[in-house]
Amino acid sequence: MFSGWNWVAYGLYLFLNICSLEVSGGLVQSCGHIIPESPVLALGSNFTALCILNESCLDFGNIYANQIIWKIKNRVVPKEQYHEINRTVSSVTFNDTSSLATPLTCNILADGQIEQNIYGITVTLGLPPEKPKNVSCIVHQVSKLTYPMTCTWNPGRRMFLDTHFRLKYRWPRDNFPDCVPKDVNNSCTITDVQFFVNLEVWVEAANALGKAESDPLVFDPIEIVKPLSPHNLSVNSGILPTVLKLSWENRISAAVMKLKFNIRYRIIGETNWMKVPPEDTASPRTSFSVQGLRPYTEYVFSIRCMKEDGVGYWSDWSEEKTGVTTEDKPSKGPPIWRIIDASRSPASWTVHLMWKALESFEANGVILQYEVTVRAKSSLTSPPEKYNVNTTNLTLKLPNGTYEMTVIARNRVGASPPSILLIPTSNSKAPVKNIRTLPKDGKLWVGWTAPNSYVLKYVIEWCLVSNSSDCIIEWQNEPGNVQGTYLKGDIKPFKCYLITVYPLYADGQGSGQTVKAYLQQDRPSKGPTVQTKKVGKAEAVLTWNHLTVDEQNGFIRSYTIFYKTVDGNETAVTVDSSKTEYTLSSLTSDTLYTVRMMAYTDEGGRSGPDFTFTTQKFGKGEIEAIVVPVCLVFLLIVLLGVLFCFNKCDLIKKHIWPNVPDPSKSNIAKWSPQVPAKHNFSSKDQMYPEGGFTDVSIAEIEADDKKSFSEQDLKPFDLLKKEKSTSEGHSSGIGGSSCMSSPRQSVSDSDEGETTQNTSSTVQYSTVVLNGYRDQTPVQVFSRSESTQPLLVSEERSEDHAGGSDSTTQKQQYFKQNCGQDETNTDRLCFKRAKQITPANEGDLVGFAQLQILGPSSQPLGLGMEKNTQEAALSDVLQTSTEGQSVRHETVEGNHLSVDEMPKSYLPQTVRQGGYMPQ
């Protein structure tokens, strides 16, 4: 603990020694100082500073000069720049003060450990003043008697120090107080000077690093005067239309200074000034007449002055004044041109004569009217026609021919020279060649090659080409000795102009040569819209319309077609700008393509909308190559089928349209009602051993003579007719119709084919027994049949019911026709028409009734008979039958026949499942 306090006490002792505090009179003295104190140094110069320690501080802290450390802005100066002069003085040297900064401090390291600041100074860097240059003075006239003088100079470089300038002047024997500038360092004004005495003037500059003086100037102040400009300027028109007189007042006494003048003028509205020749105004004056002006033109004038001998300065320009010259007759005739419309009538012309209003410098006044004279060259004796108009156009209807048109402009003073235009019958003279255009300096220049003949003048005609407006013609005249000019109208960029050049000769004119031109081109406003005209398997014909003139914005140089598939690369094709159709080839079939088109001018291109199309799956003729052979093969197959049908006609009929058995060949034809049936009706099982009716047919016997039957024989038929009318509404057979259904319906249905024979239109054959025959017990039997056998066509005709040989003959022809199809077929039985059966042959009928026709099975036609025995038995019966009776089917219509009409007898036939069963 004791040792720690010792160290504290020792440190305090050292601190007190370093500070070198010495109390004397209440002041604290430092242990050292630096020489020089706050110096001002020139940039780039050498500088040495000394740090001097006080002797009083050496005894307390053992501080010596070798312990001094120099710092610049807390940055230690290298030891190489130190120099120890003695034990109390240390110096530091800087070879270039440009690296020197503020502050510069002297520090000491006590006991090699604690660094303490001894002293510091502020260093100011700068440059000494330069010699002022370009000293000049001018005397400004402020009023008629006040002439202050202002001198200016160039102060030189920046010194980085406070530098003071003074304007010094003196006469040869007298000095004047210095002129000190205010707020500036390059000029100073002396309020008043004396003329006609030489004055010496110079400028002095001074700062902390030194001073400098300019070269002196010696001059008489009258030589540097800038007088006031003349005032009260006026302009008056003179007697002549080309002269204006100017008047003014001078503001400096002629005794002090004699003046000369400058006069300038311009046409109002223009910017370029014209000047009166200086030699014309080089003497003192207060007025001047300006000549060579344009008549009836407004001018602006201004004037200035200076010392007559040219020493000194020009005054400012005076205020501007205007004046107008008087009128004069027009200096030239108006430019004239025409438009000829010869389309209405070949024998006459409609001439639109037009001329331009004269420029103001050409009209020389206000144009009151125009005088137009038309003279026919073909008839020199006829007087010319004259027209007075106030407009700049005139429309005339003239016969075809050569005419001379003259136009004169007239104002209040007089008339202009005539403007003559020759309108020939035809433009037969030589035209210009190589017409061309070139945009230049914001204007459109037109050039051409002159023809070999002498040309009086050229007419350049142009108009704006647009789809939205008509071509309004503008024109201008050019002398015959030029071969190019600028168009003087309002030419707009991105617009197309149609330019025509006509050469005019003394005896006619040449045909016009035309060219299109743009002042400035741009990209098209839109791209072409492409469409497909025809699409094939590997090619597509694309079409588009040209862009309108308003959309082109320049000359279309080319088109580019871009096309690609959905996932393919884009292909580009360049097309000539004159084309409106292009064929893309080598395309992939059945593929979707996207196509677009760009139109290019000299300034770039713009693309149109996308268009898609799909190529065909088959090319031209491929479908025909497939379809035609297929059709030919099908046609060949059809022809072969038809030939096969003709060859196999009988076989086809057998399966599609089977033959109907001829009832005339049936054994029932031998049955007679006078012969009792020999069947045993007592036992139904014997009568129908196979268990029921399978097929029933009705045979109709027609007698030519009613008397061959007794009244007793006809009664059953009368009762049958009554039953027939009642049974038609109660039929419920298997086929859906009663036994008395109309056979006409059945026959029509049977013609439709085999598939319709099982419908409700089938005819049901049934056995009807109303009364017993000849002492037989009456038994009424009414049986239905499931037969689908159609009736014969001859049985459907109502005219067959009338009887007679004609009807019989028709029926025989029908049965023979059916029989002739297949008489050798053992599965079917073909009946031939039976002869008429007379009552005398009752024995045969009994035998016929006893004949049973058996078939191997119940077939759809209801005729199943043994192949040999049945045919033989049926043919024997038919051959032994007598004439006078015919067998036919009954056709049931809606009306009931009376007994007096042709008698009919239903021959009952019991048809078993195996065939017909006569009763």
Side-chain angles (χ1 to χ4, degrees), residues 780-824:
Q780 183 174 351
V781 180
F782 185 31
S783 301
R784 294 185 178 89
S785 174
E786 297 178 356
S787 173
T788 59
Q789 179 69 356
L791 293 179
L792 303 179
V793 175
S794 62
E795 293 175 328
E796 295 181 37
R797 301 183 180 178
S798 61
E799 61 267 17
D800 295 343
H801 296 271
S805 60
D806 296 335
S807 174
T808 304
T809 305
Q810 294 175 359
K811 295 177 182 178
Q812 291 174 354
Q813 292 175 355
Y814 176 81
F815 282 109
K816 290 179 180 179
Q817 179 183 359
N818 290 317
C819 181
Q821 294 177 0
D822 192 4
E823 293 182 357
T824 61

Side-chain angles (χ1 to χ4, degrees), residues 364-633:
N364 295 335
V366 178
I367 301 299
L368 301 178
Q369 67 177 10
Y370 298 95
E371 297 178 0
V372 181
T373 303
V374 180
R375 179 181 289 106
K377 299 291 275 185
S378 58
S379 178
L380 299 177
T381 58
S382 60
E385 298 181 4
K386 294 186 177 182
Y387 305 89
N388 293 328
V389 294
N390 297 323
T391 60
T392 56
N393 57 80
L394 179 63
T395 300
L396 302 171
K397 188 172 183 179
L398 304 172
N400 289 351
T402 301
Y403 295 89
E404 183 182 84
M405 305 287 183
T406 302
V407 179
I408 296 174
R410 186 177 295 275
N411 61 12
R412 285 189 289 263
V413 177
S416 69
S419 296
I420 301 174
L421 176 66
L422 185 65
I423 301 179
T425 305
S426 61
N427 300 332
S428 57
K429 299 297 181 179
V432 298
K433 302 176 182 178
N434 302 327
I435 183 171
R436 57 200 178 274
T437 60
L438 179 66
K440 186 186 295 183
D441 301 330
K443 298 179 181 180
L444 189 58
W445 182 83
V446 182
W448 59 87
T449 301
N452 296 328
S453 304
Y454 174 74
V455 178
L456 289 178
K457 61 181 178 179
Y458 296 97
V459 176
I460 296 92
E461 182 181 282
W462 75 91
C463 68
L464 174 64
V465 181
S466 174
N467 298 99
S468 58
S469 61
D470 295 333
C471 190
I472 301 176
I473 294 177
E474 298 183 55
W475 55 277
Q476 66 187 54
N477 288 339
E478 294 298 332
N481 58 349
V482 301
Q483 297 186 22
T485 184
Y486 289 100
L487 297 184
K488 299 177 181 178
D490 182 17
I491 308 300
K492 300 178 181 179
F494 317 137
K495 300 294 183 181
C496 180
Y497 288 89
L498 184 66
I499 304 171
T500 306
V501 179
Y502 295 90
L504 302 185
Y505 300 92
D507 55 349
Q509 72 179 39
S511 59
Q513 297 297 308
T514 302
V515 68
K516 288 184 178 180
Y518 284 87
L519 175 62
Q520 182 180 350
Q521 298 189 51
D522 194 9
R523 295 193 307 159
S525 302
K526 58 179 291 189
T529 300
V530 65
Q531 294 179 337
T532 54
K533 180 179 180 182
K534 182 181 179 182
V535 179
K537 178 181 178 181
E539 67 282 335
V541 180
L542 304 180
T543 61
W544 61 91
N545 293 326
H546 288 301
L547 296 177
T548 63
V549 168
D550 297 330
E551 296 170 343
Q552 292 179 6
N553 296 336
F555 294 110
I556 301 297
R557 301 302 184 186
S558 65
Y559 295 109
T560 301
I561 300 174
F562 300 90
Y563 65 96
K564 65 176 181 177
T565 59
V566 176
D567 54 353
N569 295 327
E570 193 172 57
T571 304
V573 178
T574 301
V575 183
D576 188 78
S577 60
S578 62
K579 304 293 184 181
T580 59
E581 183 176 302
Y582 185 79
T583 301
L584 298 179
S585 58
S586 301
L587 303 179
T588 305
S589 63
D590 196 20
T591 303
L592 179 66
Y593 282 88
T594 300
V595 62
R596 62 186 177 90
M597 193 170 187
M598 290 188 70
Y600 289 91
T601 64
D602 294 336
E603 297 299 324
R606 193 177 296 274
S607 178
D610 290 346
F611 179 79
T612 59
F613 67 90
T614 303
T615 53
Q616 298 292 333
K617 188 173 184 179
F618 298 99
K620 182 179 180 181
E622 290 184 0
I623 297 179
E624 291 82 351
I626 297 173
V627 172
V628 170
V630 170
C631 292
L632 293 176
V633 172

Side-chain angles (χ1 to χ4, degrees), residues 753-769:
E754 221 174 63
T755 58
T756 62
Q757 291 181 3
N758 295 327
T759 64
S760 62
S761 63
T762 59
V763 177
Q764 306 297 326
Y765 294 90
S766 64
T767 299
V768 180
V769 179

Side-chain angles (χ1 to χ4, degrees), residues 881-912:
S881 300
T882 60
E883 297 180 359
Q885 291 183 350
S886 63
V887 180
R888 55 173 285 185
H889 293 276
E890 180 185 6
T891 301
V892 181
E893 299 294 337
N895 298 327
H896 298 284
L897 298 176
S898 64
V899 180
D900 296 334
E901 295 177 357
M902 184 178 296
K904 295 181 182 179
S905 176
Y906 289 89
L907 302 183
Q909 301 177 20
T910 301
V911 182
R912 298 168 59 192

Side-chain angles (χ1 to χ4, degrees), residues 277-298:
E279 58 273 14
D280 292 346
T281 57
S283 59
R285 63 184 64 237
T286 56
S287 64
F288 186 80
S289 294
V290 181
Q291 303 177 3
L293 304 178
R294 296 177 182 175
Y296 200 67
T297 303
E298 186 175 10

Side-chain angles (χ1 to χ4, degrees), residues 314-325:
W314 284 101
S315 68
D316 295 331
W317 289 102
S318 68
E319 60 179 350
E320 296 178 353
K321 291 294 182 177
T322 61
V324 181
T325 55

